[in-house]
Amino acid sequence: MLSLNRADFPKDFMFGAATSSYQIEGHSFGGAGLTHWDSFAATPGNVTRAENGYRACDHYHRFEDDLDLVAAAGFDSYRFSTSWARVLPEGRGAPNPEGLDFYDRLTDAMLERGLKPCATLYHWELPQPLADLGGWRNRDIAGWFADFTEVIMGRIGDRMYSVAPINEPWCVTWLSHFLGHHAPGMRDIRATARSMHHVMLAHGRAIQAMRGLGISKLGAVFNFEWAQPVNVSPEAVAAADLYDAIYNRFFLSGVFKGEYPVSVVEGLGVHLPKGWRDDFDVITTPVDWCGLNYYTRKVIAPCEGPWPAHTEAEGPLPKTQMGWEIYPEGLYKFLKRTADEYTGELPLYVTENGMASNDKIVDGSCFDPSRIDYIDAHLQRVKQAADEGVPVKGYFLWSLMDNYEWALGYEKRFGLVHVDFDSLKRTPKASYEAIRAALSG
Ligand code: FCB
């Protein structure tokens, strides 16, 4: 059981479940084009067992049943994403009618069940033909993305409750072009700097395109990790500060302040595209809300070597199946800091929060008490922020069901619903039942 329920939150506070297209749909169905995740996964060594999203949860064919599960849990809304390569197999040009039809049917199926559709336009599966042209390194991507935005939102935008262009700019850029952990698997500082700026520009262009279509409730979704210095030395504090600036402040500052943190520009400056300062009028195009994805903190230590000269150290807190420390306090701190320093009165949403555990089916049911504790502890911090006047208006769980956890394949289970990846059978876990009780109680 959760210790909180709906009545503990402000009236109209929204509860939702989140997923993303490549992680659940099954990308080999319905005429979707090749994406950079397909090539990344096919390259030995990148993904656990070289697993990919070809079939995933087969949500493409089972979405009605999956949405029944969302509705039956008592959720108000469903956060999903649209695959660029399903809609435009070449990334540009002729749309795939089957792809557009799919999102049309998905939208209507949400509305039929009384669920508010909360769309994300891009949750990481870049069409391969655009990756071949340089992907996020190429400034033209801002225009390609605005065109995709018009095509998909021209079809379903009239029925969306809310829309955000890009999920987690840090993952699209730093994780994928500097650390090389996600597609396209680059480790290159110049590619990193360019992609960081272009992702911001693409965000702004998409917001403008949607304003042009008359769509409202437009937002931005960022991910956050609390940066904890490994000790009290000035070097450790400075290392954690820089981690914080790169991870947590760069993209927020771009969208809400029209600038990038000085400490990041010091390291990336020579690699940023020429004239980058001139793009802030587009990047700061006003949004209506801000989404925070939050899972963990990192303990940061200084290290030898070139900028940014920091590394992660092992932390002492209990960890999830991902090896991520459980640190609910960080969610509270980010909600407060975001409102205080960046967004003021703008509504905030926790657009992702949840944990992976090694869940097993025993006698037909799936018992996941650690997930219930995790959700409970984080919801308490959300409530604390709301009680103190932070304008947090909703909370989405990652994720509705076990799915393709990117470079870690199908091994890390984040779902409220267990998925057997052989039979594709769905089994609601104990955490699903706990949520259902809390949302109806
Ligand atoms: C977030 C991603 C989501 C999932 C969770 C665990 O960074 O948005 O797709 O991988 O982490």
Side-chain angles (χ1 to χ4, degrees):
M1 289 284 281
L2 293 168
S3 69
L4 298 170
N5 66 45
R6 220 183 243 294
D8 293 306
F9 289 84
K11 209 175 142 276
D12 296 335
F13 190 89
M14 203 163 83
F15 289 91
T19 63
S20 91
S21 45
Y22 193 82
Q23 294 179 276
I24 63 168
E25 287 175 0
H27 226 76
S28 58
F29 310 127
L34 202 68
T35 79
H36 71 172
W37 263 97
D38 302 312
S39 352
F40 183 76
T43 309
N46 283 344
V47 176
T48 305
R49 293 184 294 265
E51 286 167 345
N52 56 41
Y54 288 3
R55 186 172 78 145
C57 304
D58 189 27
H59 176 73
Y60 186 79
H61 297 108
R62 299 165 195 243
F63 68 90
E64 303 254 10
D65 293 345
D66 292 338
L67 291 178
D68 284 345
L69 286 166
V70 181
F75 285 117
D76 310 299
S77 49
Y78 178 58
R79 178 172 177 254
F80 70 109
S81 78
T82 54
S83 162
W84 190 341
R86 182 179 293 295
V87 172
L88 297 171
E90 295 296 317
R92 301 179 285 178
N96 166 30
E98 260 188 272
L100 284 170
D101 284 351
F102 172 68
Y103 292 117
D104 209 35
R105 286 182 285 132
L106 186 68
T107 299
D108 285 342
M110 285 179 235
L111 295 176
E112 279 159 20
R113 288 161 180 78
L115 296 167
K116 295 186 171 78
C118 300
T120 304
L121 297 176
Y122 181 81
H123 199 127
W124 307 354
E125 61 285 271
L126 188 69
Q128 185 61 50
L130 301 183
D132 293 340
L133 295 173
W136 291 104
R137 286 176 292 150
N138 186 335
R139 182 182 174 88
D140 290 345
I141 198 161
W144 304 332
F145 187 61
D147 292 345
F148 160 58
T149 301
E150 287 192 344
V151 173
I152 182 63
M153 283 300 134
R155 181 69 178 263
I156 62 171
D158 57 331
R159 283 156 289 159
M160 292 300 107
Y161 177 78
S162 68
V163 191
I166 292 162
N167 181 65
E168 302 185 347
W170 180 87
C171 290
V172 175
T173 60
W174 194 270
L175 183 68
S176 310
H177 296 80
F178 193 84
L179 301 175
H181 294 171
H182 277 189
M186 294 191 68
R187 289 176 41 72
D188 183 283
I189 196 169
R190 191 167 183 82
T192 305
R194 280 159 191 261
S195 63
M196 285 168 88
H197 184 65
H198 295 150
V199 94
M200 292 276 86
L201 189 59
H203 158 85
R205 289 286 305 273
I207 296 288
Q208 293 182 343
M210 289 191 283
R211 294 276 182 227
L213 292 171
I215 304 174
S216 54
K217 291 219 176 67
L218 307 180
V221 172
F222 308 95
N223 54 319
F224 297 88
E225 282 186 357
W226 195 258
Q228 179 68 41
V230 69
N231 57 42
V232 296
S233 72
E235 294 78 13
V237 171
D241 252 14
L242 181 55
Y243 186 90
D244 185 45
I246 294 170
Y247 201 114
N248 302 313
R249 294 186 183 273
F250 184 89
F251 305 99
L252 265 186
S253 300
V255 170
F256 293 105
K257 293 186 193 274
E259 63 187 28
Y260 296 143
V262 174
S263 61
V264 184
V265 174
E266 268 172 19
L268 293 181
V270 291
H271 301 298
L272 281 166
K274 230 181 173 160
W276 56 274
R277 287 188 180 83
D278 302 335
D279 290 328
F280 281 120
D281 55 338
V282 176
I283 294 171
T284 57
T285 304
V287 291
D288 307 312
W289 56 272
C290 176
L292 291 84
N293 294 356
Y294 176 80
Y295 292 92
T296 189
R297 72 167 190 183
K298 288 286 159 60
V299 178
I300 304 300
C303 68
E304 293 298 313
W307 188 94
H310 59 219
T311 183
E312 287 171 23
E314 172 96 17
L317 302 178
K319 300 190 179 64
T320 71
Q321 191 193 14
M322 296 291 276
W324 293 348
E325 285 191 294
I326 299 174
Y327 184 59
E329 171 99 29
L331 179 53
Y332 165 79
K333 294 202 252 191
F334 277 124
L335 285 166
K336 222 170 154 50
R337 187 172 97 172
T338 302
D340 286 350
E341 298 182 26
Y342 296 93
T343 55
E345 295 299 305
L346 214 63
L348 301 180
Y349 292 87
V350 178
T351 31
E352 282 181 30
N353 178 237
M355 66 168 274
S357 50
N358 187 15
D359 305 319
K360 301 239 164 32
I361 302 280
V362 179
D363 295 334
S365 43
C366 186
F367 187 55
D368 59 340
S370 55
R371 179 170 292 102
I372 297 175
D373 291 346
Y374 181 101
I375 295 170
D376 201 57
H378 286 78
L379 273 177
Q380 287 185 24
R381 294 312 194 154
V382 175
K383 175 173 160 52
Q384 183 188 354
D387 290 348
E388 290 176 19
V390 175
V392 51
K393 307 291 185 197
Y395 175 86
F396 290 73
L397 273 156
W398 185 271
S399 180
L400 171 64
M401 57 188 160
D402 296 338
N403 58 46
Y404 180 62
E405 181 44 39
W406 306 111
L408 303 170
Y410 292 97
E411 211 167 77
K412 307 293 180 203
R413 295 181 176 273
F414 274 93
L416 298 173
V417 174
H418 180 278
V419 177
D420 176 324
F421 289 106
D422 294 319
S423 67
L424 293 178
K425 184 175 172 5
R426 276 73 162 147
T427 307
K429 303 179 188 176
S431 57
Y432 175 96
E433 301 301 342
I435 291 281
R436 173 152 66 174
L439 295 184
S440 64

